[in-house]
Amino acid sequence: QDIRLEDITSDAINAKILLRLRYDDWNNGGNVVNLSRERTFPGDLTKFVIREGDDCGWLGYFIGKSQKLENMFFDYFPQERERIDALMVGFC
């Protein structure tokens, strides 16, 4: 299925993280994803910053399908219950 990342993410770094998850491409860094409120430095490919434009269902789907993701950290959850539910359903 063709997915336009700009339609389901809020920025280019989040889009790159989704691509890493989708294709299990961890050549340029550790296979870790951290759901966060902010990045400590620009270009951090481990911190997925959840904002209004991010589709948590797709994020959960790509996390759930990844064969090589080793660690997942949650520093932040969206405030809306529907977004949390979409994220969790995507894991399955």
Side-chain angles (χ1 to χ4, degrees):
Q1 178 177 0
D2 286 335
I3 300 163
R4 291 173 32 116
L5 293 177
E6 59 268 13
D7 292 340
I8 62 171
T9 58
S10 62
D11 69 21
I13 300 298
N14 284 357
K16 286 180 183 179
I17 293 169
L18 286 185
L19 285 173
R20 292 175 85 184
L21 288 165
R22 183 176 190 183
Y23 297 111
D24 274 331
D25 179 14
W26 302 99
N27 295 329
N28 296 323
N31 43 354
V32 172
V33 172
N34 183 352
L35 301 186
S36 186
R37 204 176 262 208
E38 62 185 0
R39 286 186 190 92
T40 51
F41 64 92
D44 186 348
L45 289 176
T46 65
K47 290 199 176 185
F48 191 99
V49 179
I50 298 178
R51 298 186 193 93
E52 188 64 35
D54 293 302
D55 186 317
C56 291
W58 278 113
L59 173 60
Y61 174 80
F62 290 131
I63 289 169
K65 294 296 182 189
S66 176
Q67 300 280 319
K68 296 181 182 177
L69 180 66
E70 290 183 359
N71 292 300
M72 184 84 208
F73 298 100
F74 297 92
D75 291 337
Y76 173 75
F77 273 111
Q79 298 299 311
E80 304 86 5
R81 178 64 188 211
E82 296 82 23
R83 294 182 82 197
I84 295 171
D85 289 345
L87 179 67
M88 295 302 150
V89 166
F91 286 167
C92 298

